[in-house]
Amino acid sequence: MAQLSTKDLTTLPVGRLGLIPLKSCSQLGEKVNDWLVQWRKERTQQHTDPFAFDGYQRDNYMISVQTPRFGSGEGKCVVSESVRGDDIYIMVDVCNYSMTYRMGPYTNLMSPDDHFQDLKRVIGAIGGKARRVNVIMPYLYESRQSKRVGRESLDCATALQELTGMGVENIITFDAHDARVQNATPLHGFETVQPSYQFIKALLHHEEGLHIDNDHFMIISPDEGSMSRAIYLANILGVDMGMYYKRLDYSRRVNGRHPIAAYEFLGPKLQGKDMILIDDMISSGDTILKISSLLKERGAGRIYICSTFGLFTDGLEKFDEAHKNGVFDKLLTTNLVYQTPELLQKDYYISCDMSKYIALIIDTLNHDLSVSHLLNPVDRIKRCVSEYMSQYDK
């Protein structure tokens, strides 16, 4: 199906394709643009209407925008060319903390709030002239604040309603913390994409001698929240899965939270098995490293930590120490959020490139086709594993 998506899209495009990666997402946007340029130059359209396919094959689909700041810190957006009638895809990384702006005599680091405001400025500058506006936000803004407990704000739902209220038709995100937040905008497109195939592909490309079967391999969820990810991957690979349950001490509070009394493992014997420890994000990394060390104590073989978003809010020192002590073997995260040069240089780190996947989704949506076959990569994962295992069956 992926090949059909890149070669044989015969329906009319919704509009002239326009890609707007904000500065926070510029490197990923350039890679996505390169894939789109390559595919559309290779693609031949028979009996094409020159008006419907105007500007279909180009050397660059990116539209330049500027988001300058006044001395007071206030910002604006300027679109450098007309986008009237275009099918626009705006890409933004709200977790890129490497960017700054001046505010009087001070230099401020851009927060997720600042990136989200820049996104809205771009939509405002388009001014409703585009035929369709789509937002690709890999890390969903405020996704960890998706439900109300007590007197709390529902920031993620509010943000989604802001975007759709400004005319956004489709929102594409990856591994949303809670996909049920899409209920805030039930009449608009919302897709949360899993990078399961990219994890498996990257792991098998970099590691040798793995046996992906029930006797030698397992999938582990570090908590209840990642159960669905682990179950999905375990079912495709045909292996066992396990999980850790955090038992809290509700009799006391430490820094406003109930402390963890114990970690309870639920699952079959794992001694000697290699395993994937999968989660949606690594923030400080304390939990994932704790679970990894507990797995090693139980006799686990090689441990591969896979996380969609590597935020590493407390730095990489604890990961360096853990890897040195044999707590885990490899760490895999995607390039959907900002990656520091220091992280990319680590010998234990594997970066999973998502640019081709995003380009596939954009190319398919631009032709107004279903992306359901792209969101369920069962066949691709099985084919990848089969080709890998065939090397050792000879």
Side-chain angles (χ1 to χ4, degrees), residues 158-169:
T158 302
L160 293 178
Q161 290 187 347
E162 280 188 87
L163 294 179
T164 55
M166 295 182 74
V168 173
E169 190 68 29

Side-chain angles (χ1 to χ4, degrees), residues 103-221:
M103 186 171 180
Y106 304 103
T107 299
N108 281 2
L109 286 170
M110 289 188 70
S111 70
D113 295 343
D114 292 315
H115 289 299
F116 187 69
Q117 285 299 116
D118 275 353
L119 169 64
K120 292 195 294 182
R121 290 183 179 109
V122 173
I123 299 170
I126 291 172
K129 302 301 189 295
R131 179 161 300 176
R132 188 173 67 175
V133 175
N134 312 271
V135 169
I136 298 178
M137 188 187 301
Y139 182 92
L140 186 61
Y141 175 68
E142 290 288 358
S143 60
R144 297 168 87 174
Q145 189 52 35
S146 58
K147 61 184 178 181
R148 176 174 284 154
V149 179
R151 298 183 182 89
E152 293 184 347
S153 56
L154 287 169
D155 294 341
C156 191
T158 302
L160 293 178
Q161 290 187 347
E162 280 188 87
L163 294 179
T164 55
M166 295 182 74
V168 173
E169 190 68 29
N170 295 301
I171 298 171
I172 310 296
T173 189
F174 284 78
D175 212 348
H177 196 65
D178 188 345
R180 290 173 294 182
V181 75
Q182 66 187 288
N183 292 332
T185 57
L187 301 182
H188 293 79
F190 181 97
E191 300 291 350
T192 175
V193 187
Q194 299 291 331
S196 306
Y197 169 66
Q198 284 73 20
F199 283 144
I200 297 298
K201 181 180 178 181
L203 177 61
L204 299 186
H205 178 73
H206 287 86
E207 289 293 289
E208 297 181 354
L210 293 175
H211 296 279
I212 313 297
D213 58 45
N214 203 37
D215 295 327
H216 302 92
F217 208 78
M218 278 188 71
I219 308 295
I220 303 293
S221 170

Side-chain angles (χ1 to χ4, degrees), residues 270-306:
L270 52 78
Q271 190 167 11
K273 291 185 178 181
D274 299 328
M275 56 195 60
I276 290 176
L277 179 56
I278 191 165
D279 206 355
D280 61 336
M281 74 177 70
I282 295 175
S283 186
S284 66
D286 291 336
T287 299
I288 204 81
L289 292 178
K290 175 64 176 178
I291 297 300
S292 187
S293 65
L294 292 174
L295 290 170
K296 282 293 185 180
E297 291 176 6
R298 286 179 169 268
R302 289 175 284 187
I303 296 179
Y304 303 101
I305 299 175
C306 295

Side-chain angles (χ1 to χ4, degrees), residues 340-353:
T340 64
E342 180 188 5
L343 173 66
L344 295 173
Q345 293 173 1
K346 299 296 183 184
D347 59 351
Y348 57 77
Y349 179 68
I350 299 174
S351 178
C352 303
D353 184 17

Side-chain angles (χ1 to χ4, degrees), residues 1-2 5 193 357 360-361 364 370-377 380:
M1 292 299 289
S5 299
V193 187
Y357 200 8
L360 272 171
I361 294 171
T364 306
S370 171
V371 295
S372 58
H373 63 284
L374 297 176
L375 304 181
N376 189 18
R380 282 175 285 162

